[in-house]
Amino acid sequence: MIEDWEVGALYWRCIDGGATPDEACKKVKEKFLEQLCATDRDTHFYVGTILAHPKSWVIIGVFWPKKAVVASDQGSLF
């Protein structure tokens, strides 16, 4: 489960803009998979548990900086 407020805000912004619930879910999924978890991002999840269900984990936040480009002047071993 994702409890990140930005994901919820995107969903409600889509609904307020006239999207159906299915369209809003599709937009959230696209944003999450194509931007936040894109191959050029170093995505990290902040996770936590719920007091009533301590073995269930939820995503409470997402940190998605661009991947750092590491230049190496070291040659190949082979």
Side-chain angles (χ1 to χ4, degrees):
M1 181 182 344
I2 302 174
E3 293 286 333
D4 181 48
W5 73 269
E6 290 177 335
V7 172
L10 174 58
Y11 175 82
W12 288 113
R13 203 167 38 247
C14 291
I15 293 293
D16 290 345
T20 66
D22 287 338
E23 293 169 339
C25 287
K26 183 179 177 186
K27 182 71 175 172
V28 168
K29 186 175 180 178
E30 286 174 5
K31 169 91 173 177
F32 197 81
L33 296 176
E34 294 176 10
Q35 286 186 350
L36 277 67
C37 296
T39 56
D40 67 333
R41 299 291 178 164
D42 188 18
T43 306
H44 300 269
F45 299 113
Y46 296 103
V47 296
T49 59
I50 301 171
L51 183 61
H53 305 282
K55 293 184 180 181
S56 297
W57 291 85
V58 295
I59 298 172
I60 56 176
V62 182
F63 177 59
W64 47 291
K66 287 199 174 212
K67 285 185 179 176
V69 178
V70 179
S72 175
D73 59 351
Q74 184 174 7
S76 174
L77 293 175
F78 304 101

